[in-house]
Structures are given as C-alpha cells and as structure tokens.
Amino acid sequence: GNSVTQMEGPVTLSEEAFLTINCTYTATGYPSLFWYVQYPGEGLQLLLKATKADDKGSNKGFEATYRKETTSFHLEKGSVQVSDSAVYFCALTATGANSKLTFGKGITLSVRP
Amino acid sequence: GAGVSQSPRYKVAKRGQDVALRCDPISGHVSLFWYQQALGQGPEFLTYFQNEAQLDKSGLPSDRFFAERPEGSVSTLKIQRTQQEDSAVYLCASSWDRRRGGGNIQYFGAGTRLSVL
C-alpha cells in the first residue's frame, strides 16, 4: 500500500538556520505530494504541493521538489523564523484513488530566538 | 462559512457511551473526508463522501463507527459503545474538486479531541 516516511524528530533550530525535513514515499503510479503544517492550537493547513515529477512547490520561503528517482519530497527553508515553529506533515494522494491523503507521522520543529 | 467547522472541540465520554461528532464543510465543497489522529501520529483516513454518497469507508476501524452526510453538506461521525482506544483527534476535511486523485487540496477543520475514560 501507500506510505510516507518522515525523519524522526523533534528538530530544534536557532533563528535564521537552514532547515531540511526529509520525506520519502511509497506509492504506485504517480502520486501528488503535499506538505501540511499545524501551528499550535490550529488545524492542518496546506503549506505546498507538487503534482508531478520534478515539480517544485513553494510557499512562505519553504520549498520541496518532487523527486521520482529517489521517491522523495524533502522540505527546505533557507532561514527559519520563530514563527515557523509547528508540526510538519508530509502526505500523498494516489492517482486513481478518491484523493484520500496518506500522511507521515509528522515532525515537530522548534525555532529559538 | 469561512472554513471547515467541527463541533464539539472537546468531548469526554465514559467507556460504552455513544458519541456524535459534527462537521460543517466549506460551502459548495463536494468532497468530505474524516481522519483519525492518534497522539504523536499523522492523521489516518477513515471515510470519504462525494456529496451525499459514501464512496469509501475502508478506513473505519470497526462497525461501531458510522458516518453520514444525508444532504451532501453537514456530516456526522458516530461512534457507538466507545472504547479507550477510540481516544484521538477526529479531523474533517473538505475539497471542492470531484476529480479522482491528483492534487486536490483538502481544507481541514480544527478537529474534535475525544477522550474516552
């Protein structure tokens, strides 16, 4: 079946540090890939997405590139801020399916001033 | 409404009680999903509606779980005879696009945190 694997957390960084959160997936066909973010006390929000190989999703300074050869969708940001502190989930929807999302476990990011 | 609304935000139930969780999707959204999120885990799919039709209920963990969306808008997730292992956050999401697969954006509610004592 489909699955998403995220690196173990939590992650603690200083403000302005470089961020990479690894995500790999297993799926048949050509899935769409997503990063969702959950800020403290809030619901899940879409951060960015990519729907085909080599697509790059970007938003709020975050980027992730759909790499089919390595089945990866790593999230990066060049300079994190305290306001980026949240839980980040990598997810996919499989083609031909009903668009249900398959999520990774999530990783907690804490950015200290 | 402006977003997906879920109620109640918190629910405490005694083991064996029945509970009903409500979801108000974004107006006009065709698709509605329910997910279950255990502590420290990612959300897991429970069931999916397209308008009033329940097209996939493969994620419902047992026959104690039942969902409905009779008029294609508001949905209710009902859990009968709750057990401690049902304690989790229950998330509802909606999307407008009825395409199958491929990049549809789901908008999530804040969830209902269910605690079964």
Side-chain angles (χ1 to χ4, degrees):
Chain A
N2 302 325
S3 66
V4 175
T5 302
Q6 291 185 234
M7 59 185 279
E8 293 289 324
V11 173
T12 302
L13 295 173
S14 296
E15 204 165 25
E16 299 184 2
F18 183 83
L19 170 71
T20 299
I21 301 177
N22 288 345
C23 171
T24 57
Y25 68 89
T26 301
T28 54
Y30 301 93
S32 294
L33 303 175
F34 304 81
W35 277 99
Y36 275 83
V37 59
Q38 189 168 34
Y39 298 103
E42 299 184 17
L44 281 167
Q45 303 174 23
L46 178 68
L47 181 59
L48 53 84
K49 70 171 189 176
T51 57
K52 61 183 188 296
D54 299 325
D55 266 3
K56 178 186 283 187
S58 61
N59 186 26
K60 299 182 180 181
F62 291 89
E63 293 184 338
T65 301
Y66 188 141
R67 300 285 189 202
K68 190 163 178 63
E69 63 276 13
T70 54
T71 61
S72 65
F73 193 54
H74 304 322
L75 183 68
E76 296 183 336
K77 186 174 185 181
S79 177
V80 293
Q81 306 299 313
V82 172
S83 57
D84 294 327
S85 298
V87 183
Y88 292 81
F89 293 93
C90 185
L92 67 82
T93 57
T95 52
N98 63 15
S99 300
K100 64 183 178 185
L101 286 158
T102 299
F103 285 90
K105 285 188 175 183
I107 187 169
T108 300
L109 170 66
S110 298
V111 181
R112 55 176 183 248
Chain B
V4 177
S5 177
Q6 292 187 245
S7 60
R9 286 295 311 275
Y10 303 92
K11 177 69 180 177
V12 178
K14 292 183 179 178
R15 192 172 57 177
Q17 274 187 327
D18 297 348
V19 298
L21 313 179
R22 177 187 169 103
C23 173
D24 272 286
I26 294 172
S27 178
H29 277 194
V30 169
S31 299
L32 185 145
F33 303 80
W34 284 98
Y35 295 86
Q36 180 190 58
Q37 186 176 15
L39 189 63
Q41 302 295 315
E44 292 194 354
F45 170 78
L46 293 176
T47 187
Y48 161 65
F49 290 85
Q50 189 177 99
N51 296 306
E52 69 278 4
Q54 189 175 19
L55 299 186
D56 187 345
K57 51 183 181 179
S58 62
L60 295 176
S62 77
D63 59 8
R64 296 185 296 104
F65 286 71
F66 171 76
E68 60 184 6
R69 193 186 185 197
E71 297 178 359
S73 179
V74 171
S75 177
T76 304
L77 176 67
K78 297 179 179 178
I79 309 173
Q80 297 177 322
R81 304 180 304 281
T82 53
Q83 304 295 315
Q84 281 190 320
E85 61 263 27
D86 300 335
S87 296
V89 176
Y90 290 86
L91 298 171
C92 176
S94 70
S95 69
W96 71 269
D97 197 327
R98 67 177 70 200
R99 290 177 301 167
R100 288 170 61 82
N104 302 319
I105 297 174
Q106 294 183 28
Y107 297 86
F108 282 80
T112 294
R113 182 177 297 276
L114 172 65
S115 298
V116 181
L117 305 179

